[in-house]
Amino acid sequence: MTHILDRLGLRRAVDADALTAGAKTFVPVHVGTHDVPIGALLDALDADPTLLPPRTGHLGNWEDIAAGRSGPMDFNTAICGGGHGYPLIYGFTRTEADTEGGDEAYQPGSLIDQGRRHTLPLHTWDGTRFVRRDRGKPLFCPLVQAEVDGQLVPLVDLHWQRMLALPGYRFRQWAAALTDKSPLVTDMLALLLEQAAAQGRNQAFAELISQAVRLDGEVRRCDLRPDGAGFVLDGQRYPSAHALAEAVMLTVHALVEPAEFFARLPGLPPVLPVMSLQLTNVLFALLDMHHPDPPAGPPESPFITHLHWGARAMAGCPPRRGGYLSRRSTVRSLRAITDPLVQHFDAANPVAFVLLPAQAFMLCPPSTSPYDAEILGELFRGVRAAGPEVAYDTTLTWLDGNRDRLSEYLRGRFRSGSGVPADNTLRDPAVPIEPEGFRELTFRQACGVVGAFEEVLG
């Protein structure tokens, strides 16, 4: 079978020779900066039944996403409902609150269905018992319980059971991939902590453990420093790197076995370390999360090709707005993590991280707005005729005279700061429609179009 990098024309972009030789251990490629036709990627995924890129959504409200009526979140419907990826659920998020820092997109502190929001009573541990919390501060989801019919239920479990009931969606927990290989992940993290201590570089610790969470669910930046053979995290001493790595895994296990975690919670240290996003991104690839049902045979070699659907924060829409993964500072951190893992662990190979911009599917209107598909087909013809390098400017000009022809629903997708709608408006279920010419757009063109829509309509 032809390697997917060859099918997409990206072998040179990932510097495959350097990855094969081990000269580089992590190379990200943002497909939104390349002229890869959308249809070529979708056809390549269809040709390999074992390959299915994760779409890292968050714990929270997926009911209206699955029904195709979630506004700016509808790209999840197109990717996950359309079979182009699967929802890999990241649970290290915080409840929405009156202050910043909570997840306003998926709103895990509430239940949303058919456009109606029910705010959940939330409880966290105060040192002796679980107490009702107000909405003043965002709370770390794995440490929160919700009150349902007079009973406390782990917030993680409440949402997870609702998500599993949605037909046609193969939800997987990011945390389960780590706990399934808990000894390996713990050993990897212990090695990285030991090397960070030897470097004497504070940033090296932040690349592994970015935050600490108190048992009451409040998250903050942490003070982590070596102390002899051990480590001190916000006053809590761990006797070794391995002991600290095991503590990091506690909150990961909380996502997979929440009831067991809450039963243990009174005996846990008052502050727990939280795994960083940088290490999480490396583990996406090393733990083969692009194969939700791993194929038989040896692991990928001489390097791993990890395809991943990233949304606003991770991928963005270059050139107007790139995501965090392709920033130089992030890539340096990812390589600093991957280098020693590849050197010391047989299970770790160099990584080509192929980032797919999920927001391209914001250009697929719902079946309840067929006229939008006709209008966007007109735009796509103009964009394709103008060439990939001017897609953004071409779309800006087009929007100047055509924006009001698009439905309010489609325009609303591009407003900044919006998530699953909770405006008490009942919308009919829908499926995404690919306008004529959508698959012929390159990802670079699609990102330019989405960027222009965000600029004008956001």
Side-chain angles (χ1 to χ4, degrees):
M1 180 182 294
T2 305
H3 195 283
I4 193 163
L5 291 176
D6 295 315
R7 291 192 62 141
L8 302 180
L10 294 175
R11 182 168 288 274
R12 179 177 294 180
V14 304
D15 205 348
D17 290 342
L19 288 169
T20 300
K24 291 183 179 179
T25 63
F26 189 96
V27 177
V29 172
H30 197 312
V31 177
T33 63
H34 292 268
D35 292 318
V36 176
I38 293 173
L41 171 75
L42 301 185
D43 289 344
L45 294 178
D46 288 341
D48 186 348
T50 68
L51 176 62
L52 195 62
R55 165 66 208 111
T56 35
H58 292 177
L59 182 79
N61 291 284
W62 280 76
E63 286 71 21
D64 282 345
I65 293 173
R69 54 188 178 201
S70 61
M73 313 298 285
D74 281 346
F75 56 80
N76 288 313
T77 318
I79 293 169
C80 302
H84 310 311
Y86 73 98
L88 182 65
I89 302 303
Y90 180 72
F92 278 1
T93 54
R94 290 183 278 175
T95 58
E96 67 277 15
D98 298 334
T99 53
E100 293 183 355
D103 187 348
E104 298 292 341
Y106 291 85
Q107 300 188 58
S110 305
L111 299 181
I112 300 175
D113 193 9
Q114 300 184 52
R116 293 189 295 269
R117 179 187 182 204
H118 167 64
T119 303
L120 291 166
L122 304 178
H123 296 248
T124 63
W125 187 251
D126 73 348
T128 58
R129 60 192 178 92
F130 285 96
V131 298
R132 176 82 176 263
R133 299 294 301 271
D134 61 24
R135 294 285 172 147
K137 295 181 180 179
L139 303 170
F140 192 58
C141 290
L143 271 66
V144 177
Q145 298 211 71
E147 185 178 337
V148 180
D149 297 329
Q151 301 293 320
L152 293 185
V153 179
L155 183 64
V156 168
D157 200 40
L158 175 63
H159 281 297
W160 188 244
Q161 295 307 316
R162 285 164 56 87
M163 290 155 65
L164 291 180
L166 297 172
Y169 279 66
R170 48 186 304 179
F171 290 99
R172 300 290 179 92
Q173 284 222 48
W174 154 81
L178 275 64
T179 58
D180 286 349
K181 297 184 178 180
S182 186
L184 173 63
V185 175
T186 303
D187 287 347
M188 285 180 166
L189 181 52
L191 171 74
L192 293 169
L193 288 167
E194 289 169 352
Q195 297 215 345
Q199 292 174 16
R201 184 171 62 94
N202 289 337
Q203 182 61 27
F205 289 121
E207 290 167 352
L208 307 173
I209 297 172
S210 56
Q211 301 173 109
V213 59
R214 300 187 327 203
L215 298 188
D216 66 0
E218 294 188 16
V219 177
R220 63 188 179 194
R221 292 289 177 184
C222 60
D223 176 32
L224 176 61
R225 54 183 174 81
D227 182 60
F231 297 83
V232 175
L233 173 77
D234 286 354
Q236 178 71 31
R237 190 176 192 278
Y238 296 88
S240 66
H242 199 270
L244 178 56
E246 288 179 330
V248 172
M249 291 299 290
L250 286 173
T251 50
V252 179
H253 281 280
L255 290 169
V256 180
E257 298 289 347
E260 179 182 317
F261 173 81
F262 281 113
R264 296 181 55 194
L265 188 144
L268 296 179
V271 177
L272 298 175
V274 178
M275 183 182 292
S276 72
L277 197 54
Q278 292 100 315
L279 178 55
T280 296
N281 285 317
V282 170
L283 293 176
F284 284 146
L286 295 186
L287 298 184
D288 202 25
M289 295 188 199
H290 48 289
H291 291 123
D293 298 311
E300 284 183 76
S301 65
F303 61 88
I304 297 165
T305 303
H306 176 74
L307 277 71
H308 199 113
W309 290 108
R312 297 176 182 88
M314 188 184 206
C317 276
R320 178 179 179 268
R321 180 177 51 80
Y324 69 77
L325 192 90
S326 52
R327 294 175 191 153
R328 291 183 180 179
S329 58
T330 303
V331 174
R332 283 195 299 269
S333 295
L334 298 175
R335 286 178 177 158
I337 292 170
T338 313
D339 283 350
L341 296 182
V342 170
Q343 181 180 353
H344 289 89
F345 290 90
D346 292 339
N349 283 321
V351 173
F353 199 112
V354 181
L355 187 57
L356 310 173
Q359 282 186 274
F361 286 93
M362 294 177 77
L363 300 175
C364 295
S367 53
T368 48
S369 301
Y371 185 53
D372 283 334
E374 295 180 22
I375 299 170
L376 288 173
E378 297 174 10
L379 168 62
F380 296 166
R381 284 192 289 274
V383 168
R384 288 164 52 209
E389 68 282 352
V390 292
Y392 177 78
D393 291 333
T394 300
T395 305
L396 286 178
T397 301
W398 183 89
L399 282 169
D400 189 48
N402 292 277
R403 58 185 289 181
D404 292 336
R405 297 173 64 200
L406 297 168
S407 69
E408 173 61 26
Y409 181 87
L410 187 75
R411 295 199 304 269
R413 280 183 176 178
F414 299 92
R415 294 196 183 101
S416 59
S418 53
V420 175
D423 55 3
N424 293 315
T425 299
L426 178 60
R427 299 175 175 88
D428 291 333
V431 294
I433 300 174
E434 294 181 6
E436 183 180 351
F438 173 73
R439 291 198 174 207
E440 287 70 40
L441 291 176
T442 70
F443 276 98
R444 181 155 70 120
Q445 288 173 318
C447 283
V449 173
V450 172
F453 271 63
E454 290 181 332
E455 177 69 26
V456 173
L457 303 174

